[in-house]
Amino acid sequence: MSKYLRQYWPGAPKKTEKDLPDLQGRVFIVTGGAGGIGLAVATALFHANATRVYILGRSDSVGESAVNTITKSEPPGDMKRRSASGDDVVKFLRLDLADLRSIKNTAEAFLAAETRLDVLWHNAGVMAPPEGSVSKQGHELSFATNVLGPFLLQQFLTPILLKTANSDVAPKGSVRTCWAASVEFPDPPGQDGILWDDWGLTSSEFSGLNGRVQRYVQSKWANAILATEMAKRYPQLVSTSFNPGAIRTDLTRHAPSILKSIQGLLSYPIRLGALTELQAGFDDEVAEHNGCYLIPWGKIGTLIPKVAEGVEKRATGKRLWNLCNGLVKEFY
């Protein structure tokens, strides 16, 4: 429990936006990039001279407004203003992670426009939606939005990531996939952090607030597990998961008032969460620990024991990969 609580008081960040490399020539995707931490990440990429930054989200109007906000923004923190030239640097693509049928169209639109992809942040997610919420395909909404949607998008984009990593244009260790996990919740469901026989957590013990929280917790540990498995399957790529920290965003919009109040008291500005995600995307130490899990503000942490033991001793990465693949395969 003390380890869990320490993540709410992580100290000052060791690296900030000014430590980003010059990103001319590189192409990035940030899901959920039209608001919150994703918007802050995309803004930093823009001012670090990225050639193209794609922000993916559900609303065309919100997305286009975010594009305008980024291109007219002041540089965040202590970084310098964008100096590279170029038109249409920031672009929006519509993505609904809760509708598996739509994801292929989003991926194909990106692949038709670009020949490389350097870093993909699976940043978008949902937390504690109302009881009984399901995706367009009828899957429990937390698992569908936080795990199945990103997994399917990843399958479409892995080939271009591999192409970029295997080319002469990308420095070794620079091509990455970053998966949004969360705080090191000490007791996720199941032996491995996932209740394999009931991953939707539909039994009566998961009714009410407990079930809503546990569904979120499970989905976030699932992303950490997927990061470890991707590192094994594709060692040419760097795959990492991250806990951005307790950040003031609208992620808790569906949560009960008591959780919102607690989160508000313990949370930090959006910029600090973005620093964690930027560390996931660019820090050299992350490349040396492929499959690692980051804690605020970009330090390498450790998976909780039951999740780590599942990965190391019970091949839960492969098991989860196969579960997700079976649930999304008709949408390839």
Side-chain angles (χ1 to χ4, degrees), residues 57 107 122:
H122 292 296

Side-chain angles (χ1 to χ4, degrees), residues 3-310:
K3 183 178 180 182
Y4 166 72
L5 292 175
R6 281 200 301 271
Q7 291 191 71
Y8 286 94
W9 291 274
K14 292 185 177 180
K15 293 185 178 180
T16 62
E17 298 93 343
K18 69 177 174 54
D19 296 302
L20 289 174
D22 188 286
L23 302 178
Q24 288 190 71
R26 302 193 200 182
V27 178
F28 306 96
I29 289 177
V30 185
T31 71
I37 300 174
L39 180 66
V41 170
T43 301
L45 298 175
F46 172 76
H47 285 290
N49 292 330
T51 290
R52 200 89 65 230
V53 181
Y54 285 83
I55 57 176
L56 277 53
R58 293 179 297 167
S59 169
D60 292 336
S61 60
V62 173
E64 293 305 328
S65 176
V67 170
N68 186 59
T69 296
I70 293 168
T71 55
K72 294 182 178 180
S73 68
E74 293 295 318
D78 49 7
M79 75 184 306
K80 295 180 180 179
R81 183 181 297 277
R82 179 181 178 87
S83 60
S85 60
D87 298 323
D88 295 325
V89 173
V90 186
K91 301 176 78 71
F92 173 77
L93 290 176
R94 190 175 185 280
L95 173 70
D96 185 355
L97 292 170
D99 183 2
L100 296 173
R101 195 171 301 280
S102 72
I103 292 175
K104 185 175 183 179
N105 291 337
T106 303
E108 288 181 340
F110 173 82
L111 294 171
E114 302 293 344
T115 59
R116 67 181 288 168
L117 175 59
D118 293 82
V119 184
L120 165 60
W121 282 271
H122 292 296
N123 165 79
V126 65
M127 178 181 183
E131 190 84 3
S133 297
V134 296
S135 70
K136 291 288 180 62
Q137 284 71 42
H139 300 307
E140 188 279 311
L141 190 61
S142 294
F143 202 86
T145 304
N146 298 345
V147 184
L148 298 181
F151 179 86
L152 180 58
L153 179 65
Q154 182 66 52
Q155 304 317 299
F156 289 122
L157 297 178
T158 294
I160 194 171
L161 286 163
L162 289 170
K163 177 184 175 183
T164 306
N166 292 330
S167 70
D168 295 329
V169 300
K172 184 177 180 180
S174 67
V175 182
R176 305 184 181 189
T177 295
C178 307
W179 304 79
S182 191
V183 168
E184 289 179 284
F185 295 100
D187 192 26
Q191 180 186 18
D192 306 311
I194 296 175
L195 196 61
W196 298 105
D197 294 334
D198 182 21
W199 53 265
L201 304 186
T202 61
S203 68
S204 59
E205 69 177 295
F206 297 108
S207 62
L209 177 58
N210 172 61
R212 293 168 65 188
V213 172
Q214 287 291 288
R215 291 180 192 104
Y216 173 73
V217 171
Q218 177 181 249
S219 72
K220 294 286 113 176
W221 281 121
N223 282 343
I225 295 170
L226 287 175
T228 67
E229 181 64 13
M230 190 165 180
K232 294 176 183 177
R233 290 176 181 247
Y234 303 105
Q236 312 97 308
L237 308 176
V238 175
S239 178
T240 183
S241 59
F242 57 84
N243 162 27
I247 306 297
R248 298 187 195 106
T249 72
D250 68 348
L251 182 64
T252 59
R253 60 189 180 275
H254 297 302
S257 297
I258 183 63
L259 285 184
K260 290 181 182 179
S261 298
I262 294 172
Q263 180 75 359
L265 289 172
L266 297 175
S267 60
Y268 293 85
I270 285 172
R271 176 185 169 236
L272 292 177
L275 292 182
T276 302
E277 297 200 20
L278 292 169
Q279 289 284 84
F282 298 105
D283 189 68
D284 290 338
E285 188 178 8
V286 172
E288 297 170 3
H289 296 82
N290 201 357
C292 67
Y293 165 69
L294 299 187
I295 59 175
W297 310 111
K299 295 180 288 188
I300 294 179
T302 56
L303 302 176
I304 62 170
K306 68 159 64 172
V307 174
E309 289 169 8

